Amino acid sequence: MRADRLVAALLLLQARGRVTAADLADELEVSVATARRDLEALSAAGIPVYPQPGRGGGWSLVGGARTDLSGLNAAEAQALFVLLGPASSAAPELTSALRKLVRALPATFRADAEAAAAAVVSDPARWGERSREPPELVEPLQNATVRRLKVRLTYGGSAERLVDPLGLVDKDGIWYLIADTGAGRRTFRVDRIAAATTTEQPAERPADFDLAAEWARIAAEVEQRRSLVSAVVLVDAELFPVLRKRFGRHCEVVERTAGHVRARVTAHLARSLAEQLAGWGSAVEVLEPDSVRRELARIGRDLTERYAT
């Protein structure tokens, strides 16, 4: 990908002060002509890169200009490679770009960055499950978002619609597309999109759109819908950390007493809450409301009828 080559070229310029097209071609494993075009592209983009002809010449940054990317300190360089290093599940293009980045790091940081890259392996599959690969439509939708082109979607069994893609979110292996439609802003699960065709029509993107902020808003709305019913439970203090881990943000402490914790847990339905609590047996006592207690009693009767001998 040309983008990672341009970044690597700029970093090499900063690290070495001056490079020739031949030097750059050797480092980036491209032809000399391609390396020269990349240097010219940096200059055309407004980066203060200029050539010096003659013996000992090459390409340099005016006044030793620098970018924040290669201004990494040692801790930042290690953090970057722990997160996205070659030993992780990074895409091949990203791995290639990072490999070139490590060559451009100051020598004092290079060994630590390489060690950090080899310190972590990411295995997204849970025990007993296969690794979940992104849906095939993620890449074309991402390309359409970057190029700001409208996409024609068929979602589930609904009619075809034309959308302005705004961004993609990976939520624990489930991918979502956020897009503006004729009926307002919508969120689509990518694995439920039956078909997606990128058009040549320019997409509109609000100037103030912030993908992270928009997803935080959407997630908060979903969490609120999942917290319509609450129950107050009493659990042994030693078991409470396990209960809290199971319910996550849907569990909060009401009161701590000697040996016990009174907590509030939430779900979208009384039945759903009872089903989640039933597996705890007598280890968790539901104090209120009656709707959840009745659901638990019903589950108990159903199990007794089925398994009684």
Side-chain angles (χ1 to χ4, degrees):
M1 295 178 66
R2 193 182 191 201
D4 75 81
R5 291 206 316 270
L6 294 178
V7 171
L10 181 56
L11 290 168
L12 287 166
L13 280 165
Q14 292 178 172
R16 300 184 181 179
R18 179 179 301 171
V19 298
T20 66
D23 292 336
L24 188 60
D26 183 59
E27 287 288 346
L28 302 187
E29 301 172 2
V30 296
S31 68
V32 174
T34 297
R36 186 175 294 110
R37 283 196 297 269
D38 286 347
L39 290 164
E40 291 170 349
L42 286 174
S43 180
I47 305 296
V49 177
Y50 72 103
Q52 285 184 322
R55 185 184 296 274
W59 292 74
S60 305
L61 285 167
V62 175
R66 302 187 63 80
T67 68
D68 290 338
L69 190 55
S70 68
L72 297 170
N73 60 37
E76 290 167 341
Q78 289 182 49
L80 173 65
F81 279 84
V82 163
L83 180 63
L84 297 172
S88 77
S89 57
E93 294 87 355
L94 182 55
T95 299
S96 174
L98 290 170
R99 186 171 61 248
K100 293 162 186 173
L101 171 59
V102 79
R103 296 175 186 166
L105 287 172
T108 53
F109 295 169
R110 195 172 302 145
D112 287 344
E114 290 175 332
V120 175
V121 170
S122 175
D123 182 357
R126 297 179 181 179
W127 293 113
E129 294 184 359
R130 293 183 177 180
S131 178
R132 287 181 287 182
E133 297 295 331
E136 292 182 2
L137 289 177
V138 166
E139 185 173 351
L141 289 172
Q142 186 178 47
N143 289 337
T145 303
V146 172
R147 295 171 61 197
R148 298 197 177 185
L149 296 174
K150 291 181 181 290
V151 176
R152 202 172 297 279
L153 294 182
T154 302
Y155 190 66
S158 63
E160 194 176 75
R161 67 185 81 186
L162 193 64
V163 307
D164 295 318
L166 300 175
L168 287 152
V169 176
D170 176 8
K171 173 70 169 175
D172 192 26
I174 305 296
W175 286 81
Y176 297 88
L177 169 70
I178 300 174
D180 280 338
T181 74
R185 188 161 296 170
R186 296 289 185 268
T187 303
F188 304 92
R189 266 188 63 153
V190 175
D191 58 0
R192 294 177 183 169
I193 297 176
T197 304
T198 302
T199 73
E200 292 303 318
Q201 302 177 51
E204 295 183 7
R205 182 185 178 92
D208 60 349
F209 179 75
D210 183 317
L211 180 59
E214 180 66 10
W215 178 252
R217 183 191 66 78
I218 293 169
E221 288 183 358
V222 172
E223 294 291 357
Q224 186 175 17
R225 290 197 297 270
R226 294 179 61 192
S227 305
L228 297 177
V229 178
S230 66
V232 176
V233 302
L234 189 66
V235 60
D236 188 277
E238 292 184 357
L239 288 177
F240 176 69
V242 183
L243 181 75
R244 181 167 54 188
K245 183 176 181 179
R246 171 65 184 80
F247 280 87
R249 67 180 67 185
H250 299 284
C251 177
E252 61 178 6
V253 175
V254 175
E255 180 185 15
R256 293 183 182 272
T257 59
H260 291 85
V261 175
R262 192 184 298 263
R264 178 175 287 104
V265 293
T266 60
H268 64 294
L269 294 171
R271 179 171 182 169
S272 175
L273 195 50
E275 289 171 346
Q276 294 182 66
L277 292 169
W280 291 81
S282 60
V284 172
E285 179 185 358
V286 177
L287 304 178
E288 57 179 72
D290 288 340
S291 60
V292 176
R293 291 169 62 91
R294 286 194 297 269
E295 287 292 338
L296 281 167
R298 179 191 58 77
I299 292 171
R301 288 193 300 271
D302 290 347
L303 291 174
T304 299
E305 291 175 4
R306 172 162 295 189
Y307 297 107
T309 57

